[in-house]
């Protein structure tokens, strides 16, 4: 199947102080998944997490890094998506192979989210370039779908009121993923608003949420339905203002220099322990790229770290 462009479309419903974003992901999402060759059950949840991560993270013009992760689970131990303010996305997952196989066998290949992610937490982190303190919210992963878990997360953390829909599907032949999401966020009312106006805004917010709830998975993932058309269809009774779309790309920001910096923090004896066949090789968990350092380069790193 021909995959759509990978984009995020920001929009506003000004009268209700609501902002939103529509995300459609195709080839770039598949690029992330192909790089890893994870089992289908991991791909399914990772595709959804990437889509939610992009929807959640692309709301600021400030430069920084946004990380959404599920961590601490017994079977799927970690699933993480990083999104930069430039729209560059990378993601990876770690799991216990033996436990996952037992669970898949025991559940006829359809384990529930609760079984896969038992005891896990959802963590959302914002690291802005021009701010010293990072924002982080950690909430127990609770729900039977990732979207339910996210709504629980929004209620428990100090996020602005948020509503979200997400859908993914795979092509029966190519097994390519298609994913989409729409997120709505209620901004705080202006301080000079009257009580009446604030009440009206809250009513409007619930109207917007119920309109969002009417979108079908088919509409969300329909490649022939332009994002703007879908948004106008959904919110036609509201005064919606759609902004130009931004591109999302699969890209890892690891570099040889970054790895050298990390290595320079290790002691000389730790670095010596890492040497195999006269060299240290470091593979990035996100993009699988391997950097190799020979003896001379390791000596330079040791000197730099001193
Ligand atoms: Zn990388």
């Amino acid at each position: 199947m021909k995959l759509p462009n990978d984009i995020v479309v920001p929009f506003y419903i000004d009268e209700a102080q609501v902002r939103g974003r529509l995300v459609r992901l195709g080839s770039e999402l598949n690029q992330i998944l192909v790089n890893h060759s994870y089992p289908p059950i991991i791909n399914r949840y990772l595709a959804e997490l990437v889509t939610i991560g992009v929807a959640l993270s692309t709301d600021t013009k400030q430069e920084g890094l946004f990380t959404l992760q599920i961590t601490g689970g017994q079977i799927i131990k970690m699933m993480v998506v990083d999104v930069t303010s430039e729209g560059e996305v990378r993601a990876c997952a770690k799991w216990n192979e033996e436990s996952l196989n037992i669970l898949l066998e025991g559940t006829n290949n359809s384990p529930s989210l609760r079984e896969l992610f038992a005891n896990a937490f959802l963590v959302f982190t914002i690291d802005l370039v021009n701010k010293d303190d990072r924002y982080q919210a950690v909430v127990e992963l609770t729900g039977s779908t990732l979207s339910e878990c996210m709504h629980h997360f929004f209620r428990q953390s100090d996020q602005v009121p948020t509503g979200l829909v997400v859908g993914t599907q795979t092509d029966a032949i190519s097994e390519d993923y298609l994913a989409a999401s729409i997120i709505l966020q209620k901004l705080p009312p202006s301080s000079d608003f009257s009580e009446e106006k604030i009440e009206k805004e809250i009513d409007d917010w619930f109207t917007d949420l119920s309109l969002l709830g009417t979108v079908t998975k088919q509409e969300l993932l329909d490649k022939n339905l332009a994002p703007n058309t879908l948004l106008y269809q959904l919110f036609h009774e509201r005064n919606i203002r759609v902004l130009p779309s931004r591109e999302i790309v699969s890209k890892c920001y690891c570099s040889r220099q970054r790895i050298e910096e990390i290595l320079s923090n290790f002691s000389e004896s730790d670095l010596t322990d890492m040497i195999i066949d006269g060299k240290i090789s470091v593979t990035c968990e996100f993009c699988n790229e391997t950097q190799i350092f020979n003896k001379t380069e390791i000596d330079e790193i040791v000197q730099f770290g001193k």
Side-chain angles (χ1 to χ4, degrees):
M1 73 179 164
K2 189 181 176 303
L3 293 164
N5 293 333
D6 299 69
I7 50 162
V8 54
V9 184
F11 62 92
Y12 286 89
I13 303 171
D14 292 315
E15 61 199 291
Q17 295 271 101
V18 168
R19 69 176 171 199
R21 291 170 299 281
L22 181 152
V23 175
R24 278 236 177 104
L25 299 179
S27 48
E28 298 296 316
L29 169 65
N30 285 280
Q31 190 58 52
I32 294 173
L33 301 177
V34 166
N35 274 346
H36 291 300
S37 348
Y38 292 151
I41 189 78
I42 301 287
N43 276 348
R44 199 185 116 197
Y45 282 99
L46 193 59
E48 214 172 317
L49 194 73
V50 166
T51 314
I52 294 171
V54 171
L56 196 58
S57 307
T58 42
D59 71 332
T60 174
K61 292 183 180 76
Q62 288 173 293
E63 205 185 325
L65 177 71
F66 305 81
T67 305
L68 180 64
Q69 59 175 319
I70 303 175
T71 184
Q74 286 167 340
I75 296 180
I76 297 183
K77 296 184 165 301
M78 197 255 321
M79 213 170 241
V80 57
V81 50
D82 272 350
V83 186
T84 70
S85 43
E86 301 298 302
E88 296 162 355
V89 186
R90 61 179 201 170
C92 67
K94 271 186 192 162
W95 64 94
N96 181 314
E97 186 102 41
E98 196 186 341
S99 315
L100 180 64
N101 288 340
I102 293 170
L103 179 66
L104 290 174
E105 269 173 41
T107 57
N108 213 1
N109 277 328
S110 46
S112 68
L113 182 145
R114 287 190 178 92
E115 291 168 315
L116 279 168
F117 292 97
N119 301 327
F121 287 85
L122 254 172
V123 185
F124 183 53
T125 313
I126 303 177
D127 267 316
L128 293 177
V129 169
N130 295 319
K131 264 195 170 176
D132 288 338
D133 50 330
R134 58 171 10 198
Y135 164 87
Q136 187 167 69
V138 183
V139 174
E140 212 177 316
L141 187 86
T142 304
S144 58
T145 62
L146 270 189
S147 131
E148 262 182 46
C149 296
M150 287 312 299
H151 283 108
H152 178 256
F153 172 84
F154 296 137
R155 284 192 299 272
Q156 297 296 312
S157 60
D158 54 354
Q159 300 281 320
V160 292
T162 305
L164 172 128
V165 288
V166 59
T168 61
Q169 73 179 33
T170 40
D171 185 80
I173 300 161
S174 66
E175 293 186 353
D176 281 337
Y177 266 87
L178 194 62
S181 174
I182 303 176
I183 193 168
L184 287 185
Q185 291 174 316
K186 169 88 184 76
L187 301 169
S190 301
S191 53
D192 59 346
F193 276 11
S194 66
E195 230 167 79
E196 197 184 346
K197 186 141 193 222
I198 291 174
E199 264 178 41
K200 165 97 173 44
E201 259 195 17
I202 293 169
D203 282 351
D204 286 346
W205 166 243
F206 285 109
T207 307
D208 294 336
L209 280 183
S210 54
L211 291 172
L212 177 65
T214 63
V215 70
T216 64
K217 187 179 168 187
Q218 200 183 356
E219 288 168 330
L220 204 55
L221 295 167
D222 184 352
K223 286 174 290 174
N224 299 317
L225 188 58
N228 290 32
T229 313
L230 173 58
L231 287 173
Y232 285 119
Q233 266 181 19
L234 268 179
F235 300 106
H236 63 92
E237 59 190 70
R238 312 285 287 138
N239 226 341
I240 179 172
R241 185 163 57 91
V242 179
L243 273 59
S245 65
R246 291 176 53 207
E247 268 182 46
I248 298 296
V249 292
S250 152
K251 191 175 172 194
C252 186
Y253 58 83
C254 70
S255 67
R256 191 169 175 86
Q257 195 193 342
R258 247 169 208 275
I259 296 170
E260 277 173 10
E261 279 167 22
I262 295 167
L263 290 177
S264 69
N265 291 322
F266 285 94
S267 69
E268 191 170 351
S269 68
D270 282 346
L271 287 173
T272 309
D273 288 345
M274 289 181 210
I275 298 174
I276 299 171
D277 295 337
K279 53 189 192 271
I280 293 178
S281 31
V282 181
T283 302
C284 172
E285 286 174 3
F286 287 95
C287 65
N288 284 328
E289 205 157 286
T290 301
Q291 300 286 348
I292 294 168
F293 300 89
N294 63 28
K295 186 75 184 71
T296 318
E297 288 163 325
I298 298 166
D299 288 344
E300 280 167 16
I301 290 168
V302 170
Q303 287 309 316
F304 182 77
K306 277 182 181 166

